[in-house]
Amino acid sequence: MQLIHCPWCGPREEVEFHYGGQAHIAYPEYPSALSDESWAHYVFFRDNTKGEFAERWSHSSGCRRWFNAVRDTRTYTFLKTYKIGEVAQ
């Protein structure tokens, strides 16, 4: 079992967490002004990086807070975790 470091609770088993997609994707400022194609691009198109990748995770069985993590997609190793709004160090 792999441990994931929650920025609020500390290290916990991976079964307590849920993946939330790519991190640092800004919600459109005026979503109603988007064309169908632009909206589809926002909803469905994400990077598919091999290597270090910034992701959003939720500590769903713990504090229930969202946070960001940098994970190596080749090895599934978590390199760092940090609160939303903070810069990855």
Side-chain angles (χ1 to χ4, degrees):
M1 181 85 32
Q2 179 172 220
L3 295 179
I4 298 174
H5 184 271
C6 172
W8 290 274
C9 303
R12 299 290 193 266
E13 292 183 358
E14 66 181 314
V15 297
E16 293 187 17
F17 297 89
H18 284 96
Y19 176 75
Q22 184 175 351
H24 311 294
I25 302 294
Y27 190 77
E29 189 172 345
Y30 300 105
S32 61
L34 294 178
S35 67
D36 288 344
E37 182 178 348
S38 296
W39 187 251
H41 191 272
Y42 167 75
V43 172
F44 298 111
F45 288 67
R46 294 291 181 254
D47 295 336
N48 189 17
T49 303
K50 183 177 182 180
E52 290 187 15
F53 188 60
E55 304 170 328
R56 295 188 69 209
W57 285 80
S58 170
H59 189 183
S60 53
S61 295
C63 64
R64 303 183 61 83
R65 292 183 176 180
W66 286 92
F67 62 93
N68 292 327
V70 176
R71 184 175 63 88
D72 188 326
T73 60
R74 294 169 296 196
T75 63
Y76 201 75
T77 303
F78 282 79
L79 305 172
K80 57 190 117 181
T81 60
Y82 53 101
K83 296 175 182 177
I84 291 179
E86 292 181 345
V87 177
Q89 307 253 345

